[in-house]
Amino acid sequence: MKKGIVISILCITASLIGNSVYADDKEIKPIKLKSKCIKQYPLAANQTDHALLDLYQQACDKDNASRLNDLLAQAAMRMYELKQPMNALKLATQLQEQNVRGATLTDVTFLASVEVANEALQHMRSSEMRYLSNELTYPPAKQLSDSIRAAVPAPDTSTSKAITDESVKKEVRNTSTNNTTRRTTNRKVRTTQPTRSTVNQTTAPAKRQTAVAPTVTKQPNTVQKTGSNPFDSLK
């Protein structure tokens, strides 16, 4: 009985593994385009990417005629992703010449053109060792730079809170509460300021200056006595 159960489990496991391998093989089965399809779309020749070949295969199917332009636009984007900007630009240009328009084609044209221009610039700087010229190459590069700067993405406001009447009222209440709290705090600070202690300063009495008596120099008495002989000193 136990051996039967074990054998059944092994059979089920082997069956599941076989189905999984078969499904994987079916998914990665290479796609080979018909010669008629390659003749219709020469850019599909020598392509090996499974996703790109699948898009071309669907484009060559008459049942997908209504989705043809969309499939080719996706093929152009896939070429850009595969680092084939020239092929992507060629396919996008062909579709635009057929009056096919769309955001995908616009993105492909822009991205592929920028990639080609960047490769040329890197070759100019690294291999040819030169700069952009003021007369020829710098003006269009400056114009493109200004256009890109003017077309920067808008800021992401998905996480911003929506402004509603309730949010405005709440903001007004918070502002009023903050102002009231600030005024109350200022009053408390004024009333609780410590009073300055009055310090009685004792002024030392000014010292009395002792009057200095003027020194009187006695002048010799030059007054001659009346009746005396003025020539007595010559004697």
Side-chain angles (χ1 to χ4, degrees):
M1 183 67 179
K2 292 182 179 179
K3 290 182 179 181
I5 295 174
V6 173
I7 293 173
S8 300
I9 294 174
L10 292 175
C11 291
I12 294 173
T13 304
S15 177
L16 293 175
I17 294 174
N19 291 335
S20 178
V21 172
Y22 175 76
D24 292 341
D25 291 340
K26 187 177 181 180
E27 289 179 359
I28 62 175
K29 184 179 180 179
I31 297 176
K32 186 177 180 179
L33 299 177
K34 297 179 180 180
S35 58
K36 184 179 180 180
C37 183
I38 296 176
K39 185 177 180 180
Q40 185 177 359
Y41 301 108
L43 293 176
N46 301 323
Q47 296 290 347
T48 58
D49 182 70
H50 185 274
L52 180 60
L53 292 175
D54 181 61
L55 289 171
Y56 271 114
Q57 188 177 54
Q58 295 183 58
C60 292
D61 189 350
K62 294 181 180 180
D63 295 337
N64 297 322
S66 60
R67 302 173 49 234
L68 178 61
N69 293 333
D70 183 56
L71 291 169
L72 294 177
Q74 293 181 40
M77 179 61 78
R78 184 57 183 169
M79 286 181 177
Y80 167 75
E81 295 172 351
L82 294 172
K83 304 300 181 182
Q84 301 178 19
M86 291 300 298
N87 287 337
L89 195 57
K90 287 179 181 179
L91 181 54
T93 303
Q94 290 175 5
L95 293 173
Q96 290 172 351
E97 290 176 350
Q98 298 172 11
N99 202 27
V100 179
R101 297 290 183 270
T104 302
L105 281 182
T106 305
D107 290 344
V108 171
T109 303
F110 175 77
L111 294 171
S113 300
V114 170
E115 184 70 20
V116 172
N118 189 48
E119 289 179 358
L121 180 61
Q122 295 301 325
H123 178 74
M124 182 189 301
R125 296 290 295 119
S126 60
S127 300
E128 299 177 357
M129 304 299 291
R130 62 190 180 93
Y131 296 95
L132 296 173
S133 63
N134 291 324
E135 298 78 12
L136 183 63
T137 52
Y138 179 73
K142 176 67 166 55
Q143 183 179 3
L144 176 62
S145 177
D146 294 340
S147 300
I148 292 174
R149 189 178 296 107
V152 294
D156 184 12
T157 58
S158 58
T159 58
S160 301
K161 295 181 179 179
I163 299 176
T164 60
D165 294 340
E166 183 62 27
S167 63
V168 173
K169 292 179 182 179
K170 185 177 180 181
E171 182 67 22
V172 172
R173 288 197 298 269
N174 293 337
T175 304
S176 178
T177 303
N178 293 335
N179 292 337
T180 304
T181 305
R182 191 179 298 109
R183 287 195 296 269
T184 304
T185 305
N186 291 338
R187 292 197 197 97
K188 289 182 179 180
V189 170
R190 294 194 192 98
T191 56
T192 57
Q193 286 181 349
T195 56
R196 296 180 179 178
S197 56
T198 304
V199 178
N200 296 326
Q201 296 180 353
T202 305
T203 305
K207 295 182 179 180
R208 296 182 179 178
Q209 297 181 353
T210 305
V212 179
T215 303
V216 178
T217 304
K218 294 183 178 181
Q219 300 290 336
N221 190 4
T222 57
V223 180
Q224 297 178 356
K225 295 180 180 180
T226 306
S228 60
N229 188 357
F231 300 103
D232 287 341
S233 59
L234 299 178
K235 291 180 180 182

